[in-house]
PDB file of all heavy atoms in Angstrom:
ATOM      1  N   LEU C  94     149.791  73.627 123.345  1.00 97.00           N
ATOM      2  CA  LEU C  94     149.185  74.917 123.539  1.00 97.00           C
ATOM      3  C   LEU C  94     150.279  75.960 123.675  1.00 97.00           C
ATOM      4  O   LEU C  94     151.145  75.887 124.535  1.00 97.00           O
ATOM      5  CB  LEU C  94     148.287  74.937 124.797  1.00 97.00           C
ATOM      6  CG  LEU C  94     147.279  76.045 124.866  1.00 97.00           C
ATOM      7  CD1 LEU C  94     145.987  75.647 125.487  1.00 97.00           C
ATOM      8  CD2 LEU C  94     147.868  77.279 125.540  1.00 97.00           C
ATOM      9  N   CYS C  99     148.213  82.432 123.644  1.00 96.00           N
ATOM     10  CA  CYS C  99     146.898  82.407 124.282  1.00 96.00           C
ATOM     11  C   CYS C  99     146.626  83.748 124.931  1.00 96.00           C
ATOM     12  O   CYS C  99     147.457  84.311 125.620  1.00 96.00           O
ATOM     13  CB  CYS C  99     146.828  81.301 125.380  1.00 96.00           C
ATOM     14  SG  CYS C  99     145.329  81.348 126.350  1.00 96.00           S
ATOM     15  N   ILE C 100     145.431  84.310 124.639  1.00 96.00           N
ATOM     16  CA  ILE C 100     145.076  85.604 125.171  1.00 96.00           C
ATOM     17  C   ILE C 100     144.028  85.506 126.302  1.00 96.00           C
ATOM     18  O   ILE C 100     143.507  86.512 126.735  1.00 96.00           O
ATOM     19  CB  ILE C 100     144.555  86.553 124.060  1.00 96.00           C
ATOM     20  CG1 ILE C 100     143.379  85.929 123.345  1.00 96.00           C
ATOM     21  CG2 ILE C 100     145.673  86.841 123.054  1.00 96.00           C
ATOM     22  CD1 ILE C 100     142.689  86.854 122.364  1.00 96.00           C
ATOM     23  N   GLY C 101     143.705  84.299 126.698  1.00 96.00           N
ATOM     24  CA  GLY C 101     142.793  84.091 127.840  1.00 96.00           C
ATOM     25  C   GLY C 101     141.357  84.464 127.560  1.00 96.00           C
ATOM     26  O   GLY C 101     140.642  84.867 128.473  1.00 96.00           O
ATOM     27  N   CYS C 102     140.896  84.364 126.331  1.00 96.00           N
ATOM     28  CA  CYS C 102     139.579  84.860 125.967  1.00 96.00           C
ATOM     29  C   CYS C 102     138.468  83.892 126.298  1.00 96.00           C
ATOM     30  O   CYS C 102     137.279  84.206 126.191  1.00 96.00           O
ATOM     31  CB  CYS C 102     139.534  85.195 124.492  1.00 96.00           C
ATOM     32  SG  CYS C 102     139.692  83.733 123.451  1.00 96.00           S
ATOM     33  N   ARG C 103     138.816  82.643 126.657  1.00 97.00           N
ATOM     34  CA  ARG C 103     137.838  81.588 127.041  1.00 97.00           C
ATOM     35  C   ARG C 103     136.915  81.150 125.917  1.00 97.00           C
ATOM     36  O   ARG C 103     135.858  80.551 126.177  1.00 97.00           O
ATOM     37  CB  ARG C 103     136.961  82.068 128.249  1.00 97.00           C
ATOM     38  CG  ARG C 103     137.702  82.337 129.524  1.00 97.00           C
ATOM     39  CD  ARG C 103     136.754  82.297 130.702  1.00 97.00           C
ATOM     40  NE  ARG C 103     137.353  82.763 131.904  1.00 97.00           N
ATOM     41  CZ  ARG C 103     137.319  84.018 132.342  1.00 97.00           C
ATOM     42  NH1 ARG C 103     136.675  84.927 131.657  1.00 97.00           N
ATOM     43  NH2 ARG C 103     137.935  84.338 133.494  1.00 97.00           N
ATOM     44  N   ARG C 104     137.242  81.442 124.658  1.00 96.00           N
ATOM     45  CA  ARG C 104     136.427  80.925 123.574  1.00 96.00           C
ATOM     46  C   ARG C 104     136.453  79.403 123.588  1.00 96.00           C
ATOM     47  O   ARG C 104     135.487  78.718 123.305  1.00 96.00           O
ATOM     48  CB  ARG C 104     136.955  81.408 122.221  1.00 96.00           C
ATOM     49  CG  ARG C 104     136.971  82.923 122.053  1.00 96.00           C
ATOM     50  CD  ARG C 104     135.606  83.480 121.805  1.00 96.00           C
ATOM     51  NE  ARG C 104     135.602  84.908 121.439  1.00 96.00           N
ATOM     52  CZ  ARG C 104     135.714  85.923 122.265  1.00 96.00           C
ATOM     53  NH1 ARG C 104     135.807  85.709 123.589  1.00 96.00           N
ATOM     54  NH2 ARG C 104     135.730  87.173 121.826  1.00 96.00           N
ATOM     55  N   CYS C 105     137.601  78.848 123.975  1.00 97.00           N
ATOM     56  CA  CYS C 105     137.804  77.371 124.030  1.00 97.00           C
ATOM     57  C   CYS C 105     136.878  76.730 125.048  1.00 97.00           C
ATOM     58  O   CYS C 105     136.295  75.674 124.819  1.00 97.00           O
ATOM     59  CB  CYS C 105     139.237  77.026 124.317  1.00 97.00           C
ATOM     60  SG  CYS C 105     139.947  77.863 125.768  1.00 97.00           S
ATOM     61  N   VAL C 126     140.653  78.371 132.328  1.00 97.00           N
ATOM     62  CA  VAL C 126     141.745  79.192 131.911  1.00 97.00           C
ATOM     63  C   VAL C 126     142.235  79.971 133.100  1.00 97.00           C
ATOM     64  O   VAL C 126     141.473  80.688 133.706  1.00 97.00           O
ATOM     65  CB  VAL C 126     141.339  80.144 130.748  1.00 97.00           C
ATOM     66  CG1 VAL C 126     142.530  80.879 130.236  1.00 97.00           C
ATOM     67  CG2 VAL C 126     140.629  79.399 129.690  1.00 97.00           C
ATOM     68  N   PRO C 158     145.307  77.758 129.769  1.00 97.00           N
ATOM     69  CA  PRO C 158     144.129  76.894 129.890  1.00 97.00           C
ATOM     70  C   PRO C 158     144.528  75.490 130.431  1.00 97.00           C
ATOM     71  O   PRO C 158     145.539  75.007 130.042  1.00 97.00           O
ATOM     72  CB  PRO C 158     143.655  76.767 128.440  1.00 97.00           C
ATOM     73  CG  PRO C 158     144.297  77.917 127.696  1.00 97.00           C
ATOM     74  CD  PRO C 158     145.608  78.102 128.406  1.00 97.00           C
ATOM     75  N   CYS C 263     139.467  78.510 119.103  1.00 95.00           N
ATOM     76  CA  CYS C 263     140.534  79.411 119.509  1.00 95.00           C
ATOM     77  C   CYS C 263     140.798  80.440 118.373  1.00 95.00           C
ATOM     78  O   CYS C 263     141.143  80.035 117.288  1.00 95.00           O
ATOM     79  CB  CYS C 263     141.798  78.689 119.861  1.00 95.00           C
ATOM     80  SG  CYS C 263     143.159  79.765 120.283  1.00 95.00           S
ATOM     81  N   PRO C 264     140.611  81.750 118.677  1.00 93.00           N
ATOM     82  CA  PRO C 264     140.768  82.749 117.606  1.00 93.00           C
ATOM     83  C   PRO C 264     142.214  83.042 117.269  1.00 93.00           C
ATOM     84  O   PRO C 264     142.476  83.636 116.197  1.00 93.00           O
ATOM     85  CB  PRO C 264     140.083  83.998 118.149  1.00 93.00           C
ATOM     86  CG  PRO C 264     140.208  83.825 119.626  1.00 93.00           C
ATOM     87  CD  PRO C 264     140.214  82.365 119.946  1.00 93.00           C
ATOM     88  N   VAL C 265     143.163  82.662 118.146  1.00 94.00           N
ATOM     89  CA  VAL C 265     144.537  83.033 117.842  1.00 94.00           C
ATOM     90  C   VAL C 265     145.399  81.833 117.395  1.00 94.00           C
ATOM     91  O   VAL C 265     146.607  81.997 117.188  1.00 94.00           O
ATOM     92  CB  VAL C 265     145.200  83.674 119.081  1.00 94.00           C
ATOM     93  CG1 VAL C 265     144.427  84.937 119.491  1.00 94.00           C
ATOM     94  CG2 VAL C 265     145.292  82.717 120.230  1.00 94.00           C
ATOM     95  N   ALA C 267     146.258  79.197 119.089  1.00 95.00           N
ATOM     96  CA  ALA C 267     147.190  78.810 120.113  1.00 95.00           C
ATOM     97  C   ALA C 267     147.210  77.335 120.322  1.00 95.00           C
ATOM     98  O   ALA C 267     148.110  76.781 120.953  1.00 95.00           O
ATOM     99  CB  ALA C 267     146.874  79.500 121.429  1.00 95.00           C
ATOM    100  N   ARG C 268     146.206  76.604 119.793  1.00 96.00           N
ATOM    101  CA  ARG C 268     146.048  75.194 120.144  1.00 96.00           C
ATOM    102  C   ARG C 268     146.422  74.299 118.949  1.00 96.00           C
ATOM    103  O   ARG C 268     146.054  74.559 117.813  1.00 96.00           O
ATOM    104  CB  ARG C 268     144.583  74.970 120.550  1.00 96.00           C
ATOM    105  CG  ARG C 268     144.257  75.598 121.874  1.00 96.00           C
ATOM    106  CD  ARG C 268     142.777  75.549 122.200  1.00 96.00           C
ATOM    107  NE  ARG C 268     142.573  75.820 123.614  1.00 96.00           N
ATOM    108  CZ  ARG C 268     142.481  74.901 124.573  1.00 96.00           C
ATOM    109  NH1 ARG C 268     142.575  73.611 124.227  1.00 96.00           N
ATOM    110  NH2 ARG C 268     142.322  75.238 125.813  1.00 96.00           N
TER     111      ARG C 268
HETATM  112  S1  SF4 X 402     140.382  80.251 122.903  1.00 50.28           S
HETATM  113 FE1  SF4 X 402     142.616  80.207 122.510  1.00 50.28          FE
HETATM  114  S2  SF4 X 402     143.261  82.296 123.135  1.00 50.28           S
HETATM  115 FE2  SF4 X 402     141.249  81.995 124.019  1.00 50.28          FE
HETATM  116  S3  SF4 X 402     141.668  81.197 126.078  1.00 50.28           S
HETATM  117 FE3  SF4 X 402     141.404  79.441 124.795  1.00 50.28          FE
HETATM  118  S4  SF4 X 402     143.433  78.871 124.094  1.00 50.28           S
HETATM  119 FE4  SF4 X 402     143.576  80.953 124.906  1.00 50.28          FE
END
Side-chain angles (χ1 to χ4, degrees):
Chain C
L94 198 145
C99 174
I100 57 171
C102 66
R103 298 199 188 92
R104 301 285 188 277
C105 50
V126 185
C263 177
V265 300
R268 291 171 164 267

